Amino acid sequence: MFDGLDEVFEPAKRKEIISDIHRFTNDYKNVRVIVTSRVIGYQPQQLRDAEFYHFMLQDLESEQVEDFIQRWHDLTYQNESEKERKRERLKRAIKDSSAIKQLSGNPLLLTMMAILNRHQELPRDRAELYNQASRILLQQWDMERALVDANLDRRTIDYKDKQEILRRVADFMQQNKEGLAGNLIDENNLENIIKDYLKSVDINDVRPVARALMEQLRVRNFILCFVGGGYYAFVHRTFLEYFCAWSFVWQFKETQTLGKDGLINNVFGSHWWDERWHEVLRLISGMIDTKFVGDIISYLMEQDGEKEKFQNLFLAGKCMSEVRSIQGIDDVESRLLKRLKDLTGYGTGFFYKPFDGPYFPSISGQNITLIREILAQAMETLAIIWRDNFLSYTWFQQRVMFDESEFVRAEAVKQIASAWKQEPGILDFLKQRVVSDESEFVRGEAVKQIATVWKHEPGTLDLLKQRVVSDENDYVRREAVQQIASGWKHESGVLELLKQ
């Protein structure tokens, strides 16, 4: 196994190593070889030519998160009572905060959560979690040794200094032509940013110190990496987005060079349609006063977002999820809830009409795909933000049974199985949909969710077998076959069933 191809920063050296790997696989054809790399700077063609298969690691599922927490604490703690107390505290923090739960699927951030949890309660909001995670990484830097070795000024550069430097780097990046999508900064610009900051805190002979800091950022902490051609980048996009958000908030709250109108019109107004900016804008919402967030959400709801597939409303939902308490913006929340519920009728005759003109005068395959994408995102947004509201659970059940759109009904099945799987009777409710729902899309989605979420429940395999042989629709039968083949391939009799 070759671990960390991305850590070979020189393009020529990386190409040479890939050639060595290729040569090794030719000489030892029976040896299985795994090469890992971060996405950033990765060039797949040379390995593809060598007949390597390529896979992208996905976020952890809830069962995998629990397994990680169990294993991590087993390896970390010797004292049983302390191990159990810390493990349960981490599980509770993830369960009680929807924002933290969403982040727990990221292996890096989940590891940071486990480290933070050793000494404190986890923060409830995303921005503060990013802040503390960056502090952990930055406090690991042995910068003082680098300064002493270089016989430089011995003033301590603490993690707050380093956070400020990274905030300036992220601010510079987002102002470039490529913006956040580029995630690149020229080596000279990076050095100049660091030198300017060092001068502002009265450090002498700033160039050697700046070079030492750049080396620490690249080699020891992997906050930034060298991607060749004289360019650096944030290794993990998470920290680019956090420090970029912090840059705007700093201008808004500290230096006051960015006013409320500028924050709304120039920052949110310029980027709400671009999903690549959504995490930054969402983090900003978690760092500022609730009333201002309400004004931002109101602004987003006023935008005509149909051509952008209603990204204005979906971003408004993400910003709302960052608000700790809706007290004072209850009316904004109510209006947003109604807009998102109304959006689940998009493309049908009963969709509310804030926009002029027909929606889809002729429903082509492309338009159907677009409609389904919008409906699915609207349903998911509703389920995530209002997960703790029991009225939302009831509303989703009603959508499953009575909505005029079978796409909405199928998506409601998916969201119920994800957000409310612990509710009493939910499995029986979905089993009933499998047997009696008139829509093959609803029956198929219910089959998929039961097989995935309730795989280990008694009777699940029997239910799937029954659908294979008895459902009148080939779509549902195919879904049942696929679930059996992937989830129960080692069960006795399954191979014979599939052969038949």
Side-chain angles (χ1 to χ4, degrees):
M1 176 173 179
F2 185 87
D3 185 13
L5 184 62
D6 56 299
E7 295 174 19
V8 183
F9 298 111
E10 296 295 336
K13 187 67 174 177
R14 185 187 301 148
K15 187 174 182 179
E16 178 185 337
I17 289 176
I18 293 175
S19 296
D20 290 341
I21 293 171
H22 191 183
R23 190 178 304 111
F24 179 86
T25 59
N26 286 335
D27 293 342
Y28 302 94
K29 296 183 183 298
N30 293 327
V31 177
R32 291 186 176 182
V33 178
I34 299 174
V35 180
T36 70
S37 174
R38 295 179 179 89
V39 175
I40 187 166
Y42 179 60
Q43 301 294 327
Q45 192 58 49
Q46 195 174 355
L47 285 170
R48 186 172 289 119
D49 293 341
E51 299 183 352
F52 274 78
Y53 292 98
H54 294 253
F55 301 91
M56 177 80 74
L57 290 179
Q58 303 299 309
D59 280 353
L60 301 177
E61 297 178 352
S62 57
E63 293 78 9
Q64 294 171 314
V65 171
E66 291 188 13
D67 184 56
F68 173 92
I69 293 173
Q70 183 74 32
R71 292 169 181 265
W72 194 90
H73 285 80
D74 286 343
L75 292 170
T76 303
Y77 294 95
Q78 300 296 322
N79 183 283
E80 287 296 325
S81 62
E82 184 183 18
K83 177 199 301 183
E84 187 63 23
R85 180 171 61 85
K86 296 292 179 64
R87 180 164 53 210
E88 291 306 310
R89 184 169 76 176
L90 179 56
K91 287 182 178 180
R92 185 174 63 252
I94 293 173
K95 178 183 176 183
D96 292 346
S97 171
S98 59
I100 300 303
K101 184 174 183 178
Q102 290 176 48
L103 296 176
S104 66
N106 181 304
L108 170 65
L109 294 177
L110 181 58
T111 303
M112 292 295 174
M113 292 179 196
I115 295 171
L116 284 169
N117 184 62
R118 296 183 67 178
H119 306 294
Q120 64 176 72
E121 293 274 358
L122 281 186
R124 288 179 52 201
D125 57 88
R126 300 160 66 90
E128 183 57 27
L129 178 66
Y130 287 143
N131 176 43
Q132 295 190 24
S134 71
R135 176 176 56 80
I136 287 177
L137 291 173
L138 299 176
Q139 283 187 322
Q140 302 301 319
W141 290 356
D142 188 10
M143 189 59 205
E144 286 204 29
R145 187 177 68 184
L147 292 173
V148 171
D149 290 345
N151 294 316
L152 302 174
D153 191 326
R154 299 192 180 208
R155 176 195 177 279
T156 298
I157 298 176
D158 64 19
Y159 79 91
K160 291 184 179 179
D161 293 307
K162 298 160 189 172
Q163 284 180 323
E164 169 68 10
I165 289 170
L166 292 171
R167 181 185 66 74
R168 294 186 182 197
V169 170
D171 180 62
F172 181 88
M173 281 185 175
Q174 65 86 19
Q175 294 184 50
N176 281 345
K177 180 180 179 182
E178 296 278 337
L180 290 181
N183 185 21
L184 289 173
I185 183 169
D186 177 84
E187 181 176 13
N188 293 327
N189 288 323
L190 175 61
E191 182 178 330
N192 288 334
I193 288 172
I194 297 176
K195 288 194 296 188
D196 287 344
Y197 177 75
L198 295 175
K199 290 175 183 176
S200 74
V201 292
D202 298 325
I203 287 186
N204 300 318
D205 197 12
V206 294
R207 189 176 189 278
V209 183
R211 299 302 298 183
L213 265 171
M214 290 168 65
E215 185 70 6
Q216 291 287 327
L217 286 162
R218 182 178 74 85
V219 174
R220 186 167 306 208
N221 308 106
F222 299 104
I223 295 289
L224 299 178
C225 66
F226 183 69
V227 295
Y231 284 93
Y232 282 73
F234 278 91
V235 169
H236 203 290
R237 186 175 178 83
T238 292
F239 291 107
L240 166 62
E241 292 165 335
Y242 166 66
F243 285 113
C244 182
W246 188 13
S247 171
F248 286 117
V249 173
W250 185 268
Q251 296 171 56
F252 179 63
K253 295 172 71 172
E254 302 297 331
T255 65
Q256 297 184 357
T257 53
L258 180 66
K260 176 183 170 183
D261 290 342
L263 182 65
I264 293 177
N265 296 313
N266 298 336
V267 180
F268 282 81
S270 298
H271 301 294
W272 64 260
W273 47 270
D274 187 349
E275 284 190 87
R276 293 171 298 187
W277 273 82
H278 279 199
E279 182 65 14
V280 172
L281 301 177
R282 179 177 186 169
L283 286 168
I284 292 173
S285 299
M287 299 178 184
I288 61 177
D289 183 76
T290 298
K291 183 180 182 302
F292 289 153
V293 180
D295 293 339
I296 290 169
I297 294 172
S298 294
Y299 168 84
L300 292 171
M301 285 192 287
E302 291 168 1
Q303 306 310 301
D304 181 346
E306 186 176 19
K307 290 182 180 179
E308 292 79 16
K309 297 186 288 188
F310 300 102
Q311 289 303 318
N312 59 318
L313 298 182
F314 299 136
L315 174 59
K318 293 172 184 176
C319 294
M320 180 63 73
S321 70
E322 297 301 314
V323 175
R324 282 197 172 209
S325 171
I326 63 167
Q327 187 174 4
I329 60 167
D330 309 60
D331 62 320
V332 177
E333 185 209 26
S334 298
R335 286 190 287 119
L336 178 59
L337 178 60
K338 183 179 185 306
R339 290 290 297 274
L340 289 168
K341 284 182 176 180
D342 287 343
L343 192 56
T344 64
Y346 185 67
T348 69
F350 59 92
F351 178 63
Y352 76 112
K353 286 184 171 284
F355 310 103
D356 296 324
Y359 299 107
F360 292 102
S362 97
I363 304 294
S364 65
Q366 182 179 2
N367 285 336
I368 289 175
T369 300
L370 175 60
I371 291 172
R372 292 193 67 175
E373 179 184 337
I374 291 170
L375 297 181
Q377 196 166 356
M379 298 291 281
E380 182 180 17
T381 302
L382 287 163
I384 290 174
I385 300 175
W386 288 277
R387 184 191 305 264
D388 298 329
N389 188 331
F390 190 78
L391 292 177
S392 293
Y393 172 54
T394 303
W395 183 84
F396 271 89
Q397 282 187 310
Q398 292 172 342
R399 297 283 70 73
V400 171
M401 295 184 291
F402 305 122
D403 202 280
E404 294 183 25
S405 167
E406 59 187 357
F407 297 155
V408 171
R409 291 166 56 212
E411 188 62 32
V413 166
K414 177 181 177 181
Q415 296 305 327
I416 281 180
S418 173
W420 292 283
K421 60 185 176 184
Q422 306 297 338
E423 288 295 328
I426 187 62
L427 177 56
D428 290 336
F429 174 72
L430 295 181
K431 284 181 177 180
Q432 186 62 35
R433 302 311 345 137
V434 168
V435 175
S436 63
D437 203 284
E438 63 183 17
S439 168
E440 66 268 25
F441 292 109
V442 175
R443 296 200 304 277
E445 189 62 45
V447 163
K448 180 178 179 179
Q449 295 304 322
I450 290 173
T452 304
V453 180
W454 289 276
K455 175 183 176 180
H456 301 295
E457 286 290 321
T460 295
L461 178 56
D462 289 338
L463 175 70
L464 297 179
K465 288 179 177 179
Q466 184 186 41
R467 287 301 95 196
V468 169
V469 299
S470 65
D471 200 282
E472 63 185 19
N473 185 271
D474 59 353
Y475 169 78
V476 180
R477 297 198 303 273
R478 183 168 63 249
E479 185 64 53
V481 166
Q482 289 175 341
Q483 295 301 328
I484 290 173
S486 63
W488 287 267
K489 58 186 175 184
H490 300 301
E491 284 288 326
S492 175
V494 165
L495 178 58
E496 287 72 19
L497 170 70
L498 297 182
K499 286 180 176 179
Q500 185 182 20

